[in-house]
Amino acid sequence: MNEDVFNMSLRKFLKQVGVTSQRAIEVAVREAAAQGRIKGKGPLKARMTLTIDSIGLRHEVEEEIEVG
């Protein structure tokens, strides 16, 4: 395994995940707010699941997103 190639490819993947996920969340939250589906200033519970089937990886991150 070439560590440099792996590291660069992994960083590219994570950047893509971060950018596209942020856009998707922003759009969904704005639409929900416009439709009155977000009440108050409470946090939104979020969960992200990363899977790589070929190596048996399943990683979940749960966090609250404040919409204040």
Side-chain angles (χ1 to χ4, degrees):
M1 182 169 82
N2 184 316
E3 291 291 332
D4 290 333
V5 171
F6 172 62
N7 188 281
M8 291 298 292
S9 183
L10 181 56
R11 286 176 181 262
K12 181 180 175 184
F13 171 76
L14 292 174
K15 183 177 180 180
Q16 182 70 17
V17 168
V19 170
T20 59
S21 296
Q22 181 174 347
R23 287 184 191 144
I25 292 167
E26 289 172 347
V27 168
V29 168
R30 288 187 180 110
E31 287 178 0
Q35 296 170 1
R37 293 187 288 132
I38 295 178
K39 303 195 185 332
K41 295 181 180 180
L44 301 173
K45 293 182 181 180
R47 180 183 314 123
M48 177 71 76
T49 304
L50 169 68
T51 59
I52 302 178
D53 294 335
S54 62
I55 60 172
L57 174 66
R58 179 179 171 84
H59 176 73
E60 285 194 8
V61 176
E62 293 188 40
E63 187 65 52
E64 292 185 342
I65 299 171
E66 293 290 338
V67 295

